[in-house]
Amino acid sequence: MKIIISLCFLIFNYVIYADVLPEAKSEVKITLAKKPTTRPMTVAFIPGQKKYYIADGGLAPLGSETEAPISKSLIHTYDQSGKYLASTQAGFDNRSIFYNEATFQLTTITYNISSEAGFAPNTGIFSLDLDPQGNLKGTSKEVSSFNPAFGDSATMPSFDSKKNHYFAKQKRSDRVIVIDANDGNKVGEINLDLKSAGVAFDDLSDNFIAATSIDGEELAILDVDHKAILIFNAKGKYVGKSTLPTDIKLRAHNHYNGLGYTNNLFFIYNESEGEFGTYYGFKVSSNSK
């Protein structure tokens, strides 16, 4: 009887975790060709253009009679094979960049969107103008201004185009705030079941959790200390983990930035590889299309 119960338990767990790849599979490698403005933040991919966009962060100068208080941060464009194409100054201290499949817009969310650290110009959510070839023009349009619903000033929100929601990870906690993209209102809060995952909050990336748009595997977060990507569902229940290669070198900065999720891949910045670092895109679920 005990053997039957044990087998049922193993089969049950296999069914739960079957879709999460036990080992993350490297699919894309982007070696940075230009020095980041300060440090790279997140990555976006536009399928129709077959281009990746990597956004840097960096606060704007205080401003003076000769210089406007506009961030010098760059957004770097690469083709789908990882070949460098161009770098553009859009004027934002980028925290998240993503392609909104509902509006067909490349979009950036800035540092301090919540205005927690006080209001500054060019703060909020902005769509980035592209030419027909998918090249950044350096101009933009405001989608929404600062919004306290996002919580922490340093949060790197991800976007779920299926639900039209933002997920804003809160620092030093298991909390994820859910914001409706239509009206900007908070519609919920998720507490990640870290106990079942066998981790503490300070093992994980502090500001970023990915929206995967995969049913039952909606959220993915980097476990920096144990070199793995943890998967949770929309209610915060632990689903499984995908182990990263043992030779990837993660640093303290990976707790705070150098992350992304796009083109069904979880991107991680390996600062130690190449002159300016390298991004790897990992497949972590068999449900990724």
Side-chain angles (χ1 to χ4, degrees):
M1 186 65 177
K2 289 183 179 179
I3 294 174
I4 294 174
I5 293 173
S6 297
L7 286 172
C8 289
F9 180 77
L10 289 172
I11 292 170
F12 177 72
N13 277 280
Y14 176 77
V15 171
I16 291 177
Y17 303 130
D19 296 327
V20 177
L21 299 180
E23 296 181 356
K25 183 180 178 183
S26 178
E27 298 278 344
V28 175
K29 177 181 177 181
I30 302 176
T31 301
L32 301 193
K34 190 176 181 66
K35 185 178 181 181
T37 320
T38 53
R39 183 172 169 81
M41 305 300 291
T42 50
V43 185
F45 180 75
I46 301 182
Q49 303 292 351
K50 298 180 179 179
K51 289 182 173 66
Y52 285 100
Y53 305 84
I54 298 176
D56 291 345
L59 293 172
L62 294 176
S64 65
E65 294 181 358
T66 59
E67 187 174 23
I70 296 174
S71 174
K72 299 182 184 299
S73 294
L74 300 175
I75 298 175
H76 311 277
T77 306
Y78 294 79
D79 70 13
Q80 64 179 344
S81 70
K83 179 184 177 182
Y84 172 73
L85 299 176
S87 296
T88 308
Q89 182 179 344
F92 302 110
D93 180 5
N94 307 286
R95 280 302 178 268
S96 295
I97 187 171
F98 60 92
Y99 180 61
N100 188 326
E101 295 176 356
T103 61
F104 306 105
Q105 293 176 328
L106 184 63
T107 307
T108 185
I109 301 179
T110 71
Y111 169 73
N112 197 31
I113 182 175
S114 65
S115 69
E116 182 187 50
F119 177 75
N122 284 11
T123 299
I125 304 175
F126 299 84
S127 64
L128 303 169
D129 296 329
L130 302 170
D131 68 17
Q133 289 73 45
N135 302 308
L136 285 159
K137 294 182 176 180
T139 56
S140 60
K141 299 178 182 65
E142 185 179 89
V143 174
S144 66
S145 60
F146 61 92
N147 182 351
F150 282 87
D152 291 332
S153 59
T155 188
M156 299 165 61
S158 56
F159 177 71
D160 181 355
S161 58
K162 184 185 291 186
K163 299 286 181 64
N164 204 32
H165 286 165
Y166 299 111
F167 293 96
K169 171 72 171 61
Q170 303 299 290
K171 62 188 176 185
R172 299 190 61 77
S173 75
D174 60 4
R175 295 174 56 233
V176 180
I177 295 174
V178 186
I179 300 109
D180 188 295
N182 284 325
D183 56 23
N185 291 328
K186 176 181 175 179
V187 294
E189 190 169 304
I190 300 168
N191 292 99
L192 304 175
D193 183 4
L194 302 186
K195 183 177 181 180
S196 294
V199 296
F201 71 83
D202 51 4
D203 294 329
L204 310 177
S205 56
D206 213 22
N207 305 318
F208 176 78
I209 192 164
T212 68
S213 296
I214 299 174
D215 293 338
E217 305 173 17
E218 287 86 355
L219 300 170
I221 190 167
L222 174 65
D223 179 351
V224 182
D225 289 15
H226 302 102
K227 291 188 179 181
I229 298 169
L230 308 182
I231 310 298
F232 296 83
N233 69 14
K235 294 183 178 180
K237 182 179 179 181
Y238 175 63
V239 176
K241 73 175 179 180
S242 194
T243 303
L244 293 169
T246 56
D247 59 351
I248 190 170
K249 295 181 180 179
L250 303 181
R251 296 187 177 184
H253 284 157
N254 290 111
H255 283 281
Y256 311 111
N257 42 34
L259 303 167
Y261 190 93
T262 191
N263 199 21
N264 298 305
L265 302 173
F266 196 111
F267 280 82
I268 300 173
Y269 180 57
N270 184 354
E271 189 174 356
S272 304
E273 183 175 342
E275 184 179 2
F276 305 121
T278 299
Y279 263 100
Y280 280 90
F282 292 99
K283 182 177 181 180
V284 297
S285 173
S286 60
N287 284 324
S288 298
K289 304 298 183 181

